[in-house]
Amino acid sequence: SRASLPPPSPSPGRLKQENIARVFCSPFLRTIQTAHEAATQLGDLPLHLEPGASEWHCLDWFGPSAPRPTSAAAAAAEFCVAEGYVPVVG
């Protein structure tokens, strides 16, 4: 049934209609990549990497292949990262 389908993704440019001034994301590469796409649609806003937005990882489940956080410096080499942002959780 249609009720079980997820809502459609926002159309490109729809985010520009929202009053969004900052984009926060966890420091994991997959979230940085996703947040970068949204930040680009919003006019190239810088990303604020916030470790407090990260999910909890059970190393027993992931073992040695557990995803690792990306440092702000490493992310800044490829993405627009807010300079001088001090994370709430660090």
Side-chain angles (χ1 to χ4, degrees), residues 45-69:
L45 292 177
L47 302 176
H48 294 72
L49 274 57
E50 178 53 61
S54 299
E55 64 273 2
W56 178 75
H57 289 289
C58 178
L59 295 180
D60 291 340
W61 296 345
F62 287 101
S65 65
R68 302 283 182 234

Side-chain angles (χ1 to χ4, degrees), residues 23 25 32 35-36 39-40 43-49 72 74-83:
V23 176
C25 64
I32 293 170
H36 168 74
T40 299
D44 295 322
L45 292 177
L47 302 176
H48 294 72
L49 274 57
E78 189 173 345
F79 304 97
C80 180
V81 174
E83 294 181 25

